[in-house]
Structures are given as structure tokens and as C-alpha cells.
Amino acid sequence: MKIREMIEKRSALEAESKELLANDGLTVEQEARGHEIANEMQQLTEQIRAAQLRERFASNAAVQKVVTEKRERQEEWRATTEYRDQWLSYMRGGSAPEQRELITTSSSSVLIPKLYEDSILKYLSANTVVRNLADLRTGVQGYTTLRYNTLETNQYTSAWTQPDTGTVATTDTDPGFAEVPLAPVPCLPKVEISQQLIRQSNFDIEAEVVEHIQRQMAKNLEWGYIGGTGTNSPTGIFKVNANTHITATTSAGTTRAAAITAGITLDKLTEMRYEKLPAAYWASAVWILPQDAYAELAGLTANNVPLFVPSADAGVATGSQFTLLGLPVYVTEYLPAHVSTASTGKNVVAVLGNISDGFAIREWGGISMIRDEYSLSQTARVRFQGMMFANSNFTRVKALVQNQVTNA
């Protein structure tokens, strides 16, 4: 029975019930009929509510299906050869493909073909360190908030109590919950070339520029995850954090070289590995070292004998070329900006720990690019602008150890 038919039947029963109640006195048959009407009306009401609920769910499912199909059609269109050819034509000055990303400027940027987006992501995976080790989620939408359990409770010894007693004492082991807001921070590498170069070059200069922006975007993202300050950039894992486990030392000067010399010593690395890093993370921890710190490490000697022999450790850990004190070592070429303030300036020269537990990265979906021939037209130049949104921050900081060096 359809909802409309059930509603009409219930209305007829309500009218019949009112007629019965209008009588001054009811016979036995009328009272029995009144009870039948009440029971039927209750059943019809339940059936109508159930039917309306099913319709509501069906309507929501239909809307979600339309949205999903539309998104899939957009992704499929962006993955086609036709769209790729249109986009390449646009990069060379032709008309734009009909797939744009709305932004707050006067125009909108053009989403790059899925093929090129995939190549950027593959380049990222092959040539980055922190992005591969952290808690990474791509294609996120909206304003993201990281909510997590800090796992810092130390009440693991006093929860035991006396057996066979009438009174049992309990111990609070409440977790510490925290959250980190992550707003989408734009990554905007750009290239400007002259119209003369475009017209006189004997090779595909636009394709060369596009490939350069793709590689530059990958490098910009990895640097942000390593050395970002959190101001107009992601918060990098080498940003000084007072809540991590800390191996501290003081350098003899204010330069980067002085900080590396003071921090990269056998005593400090041993302290990070065996004293500061919780034993629970020993099986899953890795080292992240900047290239200059790794060079200092390779040069450490005792009685002219190298303390660290990279070639002897090669191939021990999957994805890492070397190990240090039994844990994999990942070397990055991207250095955080050095803080040279005397006596108070601090710099992190090494990180150790479970990176996926202690550091999170979020990347918003859609990489776009603009060819702008108008802003620089008076100087006969063309601007190519890439665009991607990402952010990163610390989460469970007790899973990490930072080697922090304070300037003299």
C-alpha cells in the first residue's frame, strides 16, 4: 500500500472515530468498533512513519549517487587523452579545458590532467622522506582537525589491587585527548618566461616549464614538511617542539656548522636512541637526518677509526640505505631555516622516533595550474602558476625525540 493510500485510510478511520465519539452513549458493538479503529490507526501510523523513513533514506541515497557519479565523471574526463590534449593546448596559449577549480581570484585555475597529477604524486613518493613516513592522507576536503589520544598516561603500575576484599580501589587511567587544526595552506610555485623565448625556441618550452613546476611543487611540499615554520607554511618536523623528548646541547657559536658539530656526536646520538626514545617505539623508530648532519656523522672517528661505516649497513632496512645504532636512517637534502640568534636561538639537527605516530600530513585534492598572459603583458612575459593545498603538524609528540642545539 502506498503512503498516500495509507494516509487516506487513516483519515477515514479518524472521521469514523469522531462520529462514534459524537454519540451520547455507545453500545457494546460501537465500543468494540472504537477499539478496532484505534488499533488500526496505530498500525497505520507506524507503517506510514516507516514508509516515510524509507523514502527519506532512498532520497538521500539518490542524491549521494548523483554526487558520486558526477565526481567520477569529472575524474574520468580529467583522465582522458582528450582532456590532456586540451590542457597542453591551453598551456601553449589555446583555449582552456572545461574543467576548472574555483578560487578566490578573478578567474579560476585549470585542473591538470590526471596523468600529470599522478606523475607529480609518484615523483613525491620516490623523492621525499617525511611524506613517506608520516601519517599521510591525500584528497581531503574542508577544514581538517586532527583529533587523537596523546597516550601519555603513566598510571600502569597502581591499577592493581588486593584480591578477596570487600572494598576494591580503582585507579584513574584517563587518556589525554588533543586536537590540532589544519587549514589548507597554498603551495604556489610559478615560472615567468618571455614571449620571445616562446616564439624563438626550437623545443617545446611550455612542456619544459610545466615539468619544472611539477618538480618544484614536489620539492616545495617536502621542504614544508621538514623545515616549515607553521607561519604561511606547514609546520615541519624539524621545527623546535618543547613537548617532544629532547636531547639538548649548546653549540660553540651561532652558525649551522657549529650546531651540527655540537649535536652530532656519539654521546648525543646514543642518548637519543637509548635514553630519550621510549622502548615501546624501538621496533618502529627511524632516524631523519639532514644531509650536513649525515656528513658530520660519517666523519666521526675514534683513534682514526670511523665510528659509523655507511657501506657496512647498506641494504639492511627496506626503503632506507643505512642504519644507525640498529635503526634505519633517512637522509634529506632539505634543510630547515637556521636560527642564528645568540644564546636563545635553537635548532633541531636530528629527529628520531615513530614518524607516523608523531607527525601528520594532509593534502587537499586537486592540483591546478594557470597560464597568465595578461598580468605581465606590458613586459612581453607569460606566467605559469602552479597551485596545491597542504599542511602538516605534530600529533603524538612523545613518539619523537628531537636533538635540539642552543646557540652560544
Side-chain angles (χ1 to χ4, degrees):
M1 188 181 298
K2 297 181 179 180
I3 294 179
R4 184 181 63 183
E5 295 174 349
M6 288 189 289
I7 293 176
E8 291 175 352
K9 185 176 180 180
R10 187 178 61 178
S11 299
L13 291 173
E14 288 177 349
E16 185 179 352
S17 176
K18 289 179 180 178
E19 289 180 2
L20 290 174
L21 294 175
N23 297 325
D24 294 334
L26 297 177
T27 65
V28 175
E29 291 79 5
Q30 288 175 330
E31 287 185 2
R33 178 56 183 163
H35 288 300
E36 292 177 0
I37 291 173
N39 292 333
E40 289 185 34
M41 288 178 61
Q42 183 178 359
Q43 293 176 1
L44 282 171
T45 300
E46 293 175 355
Q47 293 174 2
I48 290 171
R49 288 176 179 173
Q52 289 175 336
L53 187 61
R54 286 195 299 271
E55 277 197 353
R56 190 177 299 116
F57 280 134
S59 177
N60 290 337
V63 171
Q64 290 298 324
K65 182 179 179 182
V66 170
V67 172
T68 302
E69 289 179 349
K70 181 179 180 182
R71 185 185 301 117
E72 289 176 352
R73 285 197 301 269
Q74 290 175 344
E75 290 296 320
E76 289 174 0
W77 166 234
R78 199 156 62 92
T80 61
T81 304
E82 183 181 357
Y83 183 81
R84 182 198 64 188
D85 294 341
Q86 288 187 19
W87 185 78
L88 288 174
S89 175
Y90 164 67
M91 286 291 107
R92 296 185 178 98
S95 59
E98 295 302 322
Q99 180 117 3
R100 290 173 171 263
E101 178 184 26
L102 295 180
I103 55 177
T104 56
T105 55
S106 57
S107 62
S108 61
S109 59
V110 178
L111 292 170
I112 72 172
K114 197 73 170 59
L115 174 67
Y116 293 114
E117 182 174 333
D118 291 343
S119 69
I120 294 176
L121 297 178
K122 288 180 180 179
Y123 182 85
L124 273 170
S125 298
N127 296 277
T128 58
V129 172
V130 177
R131 188 177 182 274
N132 290 335
L133 298 173
D135 173 20
L136 170 66
R137 295 185 186 179
T138 61
V140 300
Q141 296 180 344
Y143 191 94
T144 301
T145 300
L146 304 176
R147 295 179 177 87
Y148 58 94
N149 181 354
T150 59
L151 301 176
E152 293 180 25
T153 178
N154 59 359
Q155 301 295 335
Y156 47 79
T157 60
S158 55
W160 298 93
T161 188
Q162 183 178 356
D164 300 327
T165 59
T167 303
V168 178
T170 61
T171 302
D172 292 333
T173 56
D174 299 328
F177 292 106
E179 64 179 24
V180 177
L182 284 183
V185 180
C187 178
L188 303 171
K190 69 176 181 179
V191 173
E192 297 174 1
I193 60 175
S194 67
Q195 291 280 10
Q196 180 179 356
L197 176 60
I198 293 175
R199 285 164 171 73
Q200 294 184 353
S201 61
N202 58 357
F203 62 97
D204 193 346
I205 184 65
E206 286 93 344
E208 194 73 24
V209 169
V210 168
E211 182 179 358
H212 171 75
I213 291 179
Q214 291 174 358
R215 292 178 178 272
Q216 192 61 40
M217 188 175 294
K219 293 179 178 180
N220 290 154
L221 289 172
E222 180 68 2
W223 179 88
Y225 303 149
I226 289 176
T229 63
T231 301
N232 298 329
S233 69
T235 297
I237 198 169
F238 276 80
K239 178 180 172 61
V240 174
N241 189 306
N243 296 317
T244 64
H245 296 291
I246 298 172
T247 290
T249 188
T250 302
S251 70
T254 60
T255 63
R256 171 78 182 177
I260 293 295
T261 300
I264 305 301
T265 65
L266 182 60
D267 290 341
K268 293 301 177 182
L269 296 176
T270 302
E271 177 184 335
M272 292 178 68
R273 171 66 171 91
Y274 295 109
E275 295 182 27
K276 299 298 185 179
L277 181 66
Y281 293 109
W282 284 13
S284 58
V286 300
W287 297 87
I288 299 181
L289 298 176
Q291 189 169 341
D292 55 355
Y294 182 81
E296 179 73 17
L297 172 64
L300 294 179
T301 60
N303 298 322
N304 295 323
V305 177
L307 295 176
F308 176 66
V309 183
S311 60
D313 295 327
V316 173
T318 303
S320 171
Q321 294 182 345
F322 315 115
T323 62
L324 172 61
L325 300 177
L327 296 179
V329 178
Y330 291 86
V331 181
T332 175
E333 64 178 294
Y334 306 103
L335 301 179
H338 181 73
V339 178
S340 58
T341 307
S343 71
T344 59
K346 288 185 179 181
N347 295 279
V348 176
V349 297
V351 173
L352 171 66
N354 185 315
I355 310 303
S356 63
D357 256 19
F359 196 72
I361 296 173
R362 298 293 181 265
E363 294 177 353
W364 280 254
I367 302 175
S368 57
M369 199 170 294
I370 302 172
R371 176 192 171 107
D372 182 4
E373 296 184 349
Y374 306 104
S375 300
L376 304 175
S377 59
Q378 292 181 342
T379 58
R381 299 177 69 81
V382 178
R383 175 182 297 158
F384 294 84
Q385 177 80 62
M387 182 183 300
M388 184 175 179
F389 292 87
N391 207 340
S392 62
N393 210 326
F394 293 92
T395 51
R396 298 188 181 99
V397 290
K398 296 305 180 183
L400 302 175
V401 183
Q402 286 188 336
N403 188 332
Q404 298 181 6
V405 181
T406 303
N407 293 333

